[in-house]
Each structure stands twice: as C-alpha cells, then as structure tokens.
Amino acid sequence: MSGYWPWWVGAPALATVTFGYWRTVGRTLGASTAWDRVLHWREERAVEQLDAAFDDAGFEAALSAATAEAFGSATVAVATRAVAPSGIEAAPDAPAAAAAPATDADAAPAPAPPVPVAAHAALLASIFVGGLIAAVVSGRFEVRLDMGPDFASLVAGGWRMWPTLFLGGVLAGFGTRLAGGCSSGHGLSGCSRLQPASLVATAAFFGTAVAVSFLLWDVL
Amino acid sequence: MKAPGRRILAGNIAFGLLFGFAIANIGFGDFGELNRMFTFGDLRMLGAFGGGVARAAAAFAVVGRPPPRARLHAGLVPGAMLFGTGWAISGGCPAIPIVQVASGAVPGVATIAGVVVGMAACRRANERWFHLDRGSCGL
C-alpha cells in the first residue's frame, strides 16, 4: 500500500484544479509556461510596463483621426458601427462587407487580462507549498539525497544520479517549450478542452514516455 | 493592483496550492509510481490523470464556451517527444520536481536546474534557428 490517493480521489482533484483555475483566472493552467515567464521576468516586466503605459483611448483617437484624414470621416463612422459591442446592431445602410466583421467580433469572447509575472511566480511557489503540506500531513516528508530505490535500480544511482536528473530536466524543459506546453498545459488543460494540438502533443509525450520507460526495464 | 490582477494572483495561489497538494498525494513525485504508470504495472495514476481530464472535459462541455486554440506547429511533436523522454528518465515534468524538493528529495534540484537550462536553451534556439510561433496553451 503506497498511501497515495486512489484514482477516484485524484481524478476529481485534478479536474477541480483544471476547470476551477480556468473559471477563476480566465486562462488555462500550465506549469511550463509559468516557468518560462518567471525565468524571463525581465522581458515580461518590460512588456507589462509598456502595456500599462499604453494609452488605449489616445491610440483610438489618433487612429480615427488618421483614418478620417486618409479616407474621409464617413469611413470612420462605418468602422465604428462595424466593431460596435454586442447588442448594438449595424445600421441598415451599412455595407454588408463592413457589417460582417461585427458578427465575428461579437461572437469572440472578451480577451482575458494578461497574467502578471508575479502571479506566475506565485503559482510555482504555491505548488511548492502545496507539495510541502501534502508531504508533512501524509508523513512522507524526509530530507534525503536519493530519488528512491526504483530510480537507483532503473536509471542511475550514486553520483550518476545527478547528471541524469539534470539531463532529464533539460530534455523536459526544452521539449515542453518547443511543444508549447507540458503535462498540465497540454495534458490536463488542453485535452479536457479537446484541442487537437494538445491531443497530438499528449499522445506524443505519453507514448514516448511509455516507450522509454519500457526501455529502462529492458536495457538497464 | 487592479481587481483583475488581484483575482489572477489569488487564483494562482489557491489553485497552485491545490495542484501541488494533489499531484504530491497522487504520487506524481514518486519515480517508482510514475514508472509503473508508464509501464502499465499500476493503473491508479493513469486513472487519476485520465479521470481528471474526463471530468474537466465534461465541465467544459457543460459551460460550452469556445476555448482559445493551441497551435499545431512543426515543433509540437518533436518537443513533446523530447519532453516524454526527459519525463520518463528523470521522473520530472516542469511542476513535479517542485513537489519532489518540497517532500525533501534534494536531488530534485538537479531536475529543476535542467528544466531552467532547457527552457532558456529552447528560447535561444527558437530565436536563432527555429522561428516557430509555439503558443503557450492559452496562458
């Protein structure tokens, strides 16, 4: 008996995290993206500061003025009607081609606010605290310099454990960013929303992990 | 901080705590349990993962809001295969080494260091050679 949760406890817990995160934050959970944003926090903060300093109203006014100057004021009026918010119908005299984009704009969900890099850091720190609480409460917390007997017998023991873990981490880090997601982003969040890219990615990383794990049994 | 920012921060803290607590108690930080999942020697963790996806999918279906799409691109499958290899060898995906270290397994620090180096290398390689728009799972 491992003392770990049975599947019927773990499944609703993971579903609650996956769906609840999206309902609360308006984005999907993904640990590798959080890592990537935190690691490149300087670039992220620069973008956040630019975004905060950007004057939306001033930009729209300048754009309207430039459009009126180039194409005439009637064009600005048509464009304004075309992107009118939901509940305001396009004027009957508006050209069909100009009115069409309004339907697409209305159907699209409002863009979620950007996630600050501090929130990504808080997510990673909270995962640590949650794991710490779980280890202490379950009695599994133990400071140790090994990854357990299975890792030592199947992969590497002694000093070889350290470079092996590092190499595995490099592959996981490089691979998740190249694929645009990991087991939480593609696996949980993407697959539960039936996104084709996430289904393909999950099949690829899970299938590869299965093959490599069998190789560990057969080769090592 | 504005109200949406506070909501995002609170959500990240609350669900980060629950996520770390859940994956640690399911056993994703235990290399032996993970290897038994990948070799189908024990279907418990597979049931937790698959059941979690199925339940969340049902919830998304009920809500019915069209989600943003992750991108299909040339790096998707090669990247996922590299990730699967690294996960099977080290027992760590980007979140799991965090709970390994939290449980007292000091060598998980080496996996985290590898993840950091791998992510930085991918960003550099993409800027220099790949030039892929890889998306980020909607984050």
Side-chain angles (χ1 to χ4, degrees), chain B:
Chain B
M1 186 180 284
K2 294 177 182 176
R6 283 199 299 272
R7 182 184 174 89
I8 289 171
L9 182 61
N12 273 276
I13 291 172
F15 287 101
L17 285 170
L18 183 56
F19 188 50
F21 189 78
I23 60 177
N25 273 314
I26 291 169
F28 278 106
D30 186 325
F31 180 85
E33 293 289 325
L34 197 71
N35 185 265
R36 283 186 282 280
M37 177 182 81
F38 285 139
T39 53
F40 306 112
D42 183 358
L43 300 180
R44 184 187 59 82
M45 286 210 316
L46 200 58
F49 189 85
V53 169
R55 283 168 181 262
F60 280 119
V62 169
V63 171
R65 186 173 176 179
R69 289 182 177 277
R71 297 180 185 89
L72 282 160
H73 55 83
L76 189 73
V77 171
M81 291 178 73
L82 286 174
F83 166 45
T85 304
W87 194 10
I89 290 174
S90 68
C93 70
I96 289 174
I98 299 175
V99 299
Q100 289 175 335
V101 174
S103 73
V106 177
V109 172
T111 315
I112 292 176
V115 168
V116 168
V117 170
M119 286 184 171
C122 183
R123 183 174 277 219
R124 293 280 176 84
N126 193 51
E127 287 171 354
R128 187 167 295 182
W129 296 302
F130 304 152
H131 308 298
L132 295 170
D133 183 4
R134 296 157 292 153
S136 58
C137 298
L139 269 168

Side-chain angles (χ1 to χ4, degrees), chain A residues 4-5 24 28 35 144 195 217, chain B residues 7 25 35 44 68 70 94 137:
Chain A
Y4 293 119
W5 285 352
T24 306
T28 53
W35 263 117
R144 56 195 185 280
Q195 296 205 33
W217 280 102
Chain B
R7 182 184 174 89
N25 273 314
N35 185 265
R44 184 187 59 82
C137 298

